[in-house]
Amino acid sequence: MRILAILLGLVILSLLAYLHLLKHELQRMKARLQKRQTEGSHQFLAIDLINKDLEELATEINKCLQAEETLCLKAVREENEFKELIANISHDLRTPLTAVKGYLQLLQNTPLNSNQTEKLLIASKHVEELGILIEHFFEYSYYLNSPPVVEKESFNLTNLVLECLATSVPMFEAKGLSLNLLKQEQATVIADKELVTRMIQNLIRNCLMHATGEVKIAILNITPTCQVHFINQVSKENEPDCSRIFERFYSSNRARSHSTGLGLAIVKVLAENMGGSVGASINENELDIWFEL
């Protein structure tokens, strides 16, 4: 009886030791999976403990990891091909567009009747819109393929926004839009002034294309960051999805929109390159698009 008790005790101790080893092996597997996520490690799972079921589990997990890596590499390759496609298209379109603009300018210096002049103005307007779209293609592809070199300096963000708005007043008036400065707090940032100017210009252009009535501007000094808000009214049927508004090619109304959606995507790329962020929200039919530096 005593021998049986000893044997039973040894079996129990062996089982406990085996369970401890099994737990330790599972913890090792978990640690390697976490390392892949946090450090971008490509290490696959290896099992030290001899256990058929555990080995089969590790094999299936490794198959999933291999499939995931294959999909990621495919996605990266397709993204690079897409960037190259955008760059090539924008480059190829600029040459014929320049030629079209040249011929339209020649026609403007030619004696025309009122009907011909009206049609020429319409054609010139559409060519200008096409030029803006092509420039967006070119700019977006450039920033994606060659991330901008950020040259940071300290400057007054409030003054920069006001300067950009001042130069755009004639365009706002031509569109029948009014400007309303809600808040004008003095804000100084350390960023790339040229890139920030580009962001502000794109946000102004977005308002000119989509806003109706009044465009509200707010410049907030929220230490240690600063925010610039562009707010305009949107109709219920054209209400955008704020979670997608900074996606390339996104448009809330594709049937009537002349926008590629690249203007706001460029704002996002530039802000993130400078360590900033962007955001959008809708409150009582007012769309608020902002960036923070």
Side-chain angles (χ1 to χ4, degrees):
M1 194 70 179
R2 183 180 177 185
I3 294 176
L4 184 60
I6 293 173
L7 291 175
L8 184 59
L10 291 173
V11 169
I12 292 174
L13 288 175
S14 299
L15 286 173
L16 290 174
Y18 185 76
L19 288 174
H20 176 75
L21 291 173
L22 188 61
K23 181 180 178 181
H24 178 70
E25 196 66 44
L26 289 172
Q27 288 174 339
R28 286 182 65 253
M29 292 172 65
K30 177 183 175 182
R32 288 191 176 181
L33 289 173
Q34 289 176 335
K35 187 176 181 179
R36 284 180 64 96
Q37 291 180 331
T38 57
E39 301 180 12
S41 169
H42 298 282
Q43 188 177 18
F44 290 100
L45 297 182
I47 304 301
D48 294 334
L49 184 65
I50 299 176
N51 182 286
K52 182 181 178 182
D53 292 331
L54 202 59
E55 289 176 354
E56 290 178 353
L57 174 61
T59 300
E60 293 302 317
I61 291 176
N62 285 334
K63 287 180 181 179
C64 292
L65 295 175
Q66 182 64 59
E68 180 190 17
E69 284 195 4
T70 302
L71 287 174
C72 288
L73 290 173
K74 182 181 178 182
V76 170
R77 183 173 64 252
E78 290 177 349
E79 178 70 14
N80 290 333
E81 291 173 354
F82 183 72
K83 292 176 184 177
E84 186 178 354
L85 176 63
I86 293 179
N88 291 337
I89 289 175
S90 60
H91 180 270
D92 292 343
L93 289 176
R94 292 177 92 185
T95 302
L97 180 66
T98 301
V100 171
K101 285 184 176 180
Y103 282 112
L104 287 177
Q105 289 174 354
L106 288 175
L107 285 173
Q108 289 173 355
N109 298 323
T110 305
L112 301 172
N113 59 42
S114 59
N115 186 42
Q116 291 171 330
T117 301
E118 182 182 354
K119 291 179 179 178
L120 180 60
L121 290 174
I122 294 173
S124 298
K125 177 184 176 182
H126 286 295
V127 167
E128 288 300 321
E129 290 179 353
L130 180 59
I132 292 174
L133 297 182
I134 292 174
E135 285 303 315
H136 272 168
F137 266 111
F138 185 80
E139 185 180 13
Y140 186 69
S141 63
Y142 175 79
Y143 287 141
L144 285 182
N145 288 298
S146 304
V149 177
V150 178
E151 298 181 358
K152 292 188 176 183
E153 60 179 299
S154 177
F155 61 91
N156 191 305
L157 178 62
T158 305
N159 290 344
L160 181 61
V161 174
L162 295 179
E163 289 170 8
C164 292
L165 289 173
T167 59
S168 304
V169 167
M171 291 183 283
F172 278 98
E173 291 178 346
K175 291 280 188 177
L177 300 171
S178 62
L179 287 172
N180 180 8
L181 287 171
L182 294 179
K183 285 189 178 181
Q184 190 179 326
E185 298 175 358
Q186 288 300 310
T188 299
V189 297
I190 299 176
D192 189 306
K193 190 173 183 178
E194 182 179 345
L195 298 183
V196 175
T197 301
R198 194 61 176 152
M199 291 165 58
I200 296 169
Q201 290 172 340
N202 279 6
L203 288 169
I204 289 174
R205 185 176 297 156
N206 183 71
C207 290
L208 289 170
M209 295 182 69
H210 301 292
T212 57
E214 184 181 53
V215 176
K216 301 175 183 178
I217 313 295
I219 307 167
L220 308 178
N221 187 354
I222 310 172
T223 306
T225 62
C226 301
Q227 292 182 353
V228 177
H229 293 252
F230 283 77
I231 306 166
N232 64 270
Q233 289 188 341
V234 291
S235 59
K236 196 68 178 178
E237 59 270 18
N238 291 333
E239 190 173 289
D241 181 352
C242 290
S243 65
R244 298 187 57 205
I245 201 168
F246 292 98
E247 291 180 8
R248 63 190 182 197
F249 307 128
Y250 173 74
S251 176
S252 60
N253 187 350
R254 295 189 178 278
R256 288 181 288 176
S257 176
H258 297 290
S259 170
T260 58
L262 289 176
L264 294 181
I266 291 170
V267 172
K268 183 175 186 291
V269 170
L270 296 181
E272 291 178 348
N273 268 276
M274 291 183 285
S277 60
V278 295
S281 62
I282 292 180
N283 184 28
E284 296 181 354
N285 293 332
E286 284 192 332
L287 173 63
D288 180 2
I289 300 176
W290 53 268
F291 68 85
E292 182 177 58
L293 296 172

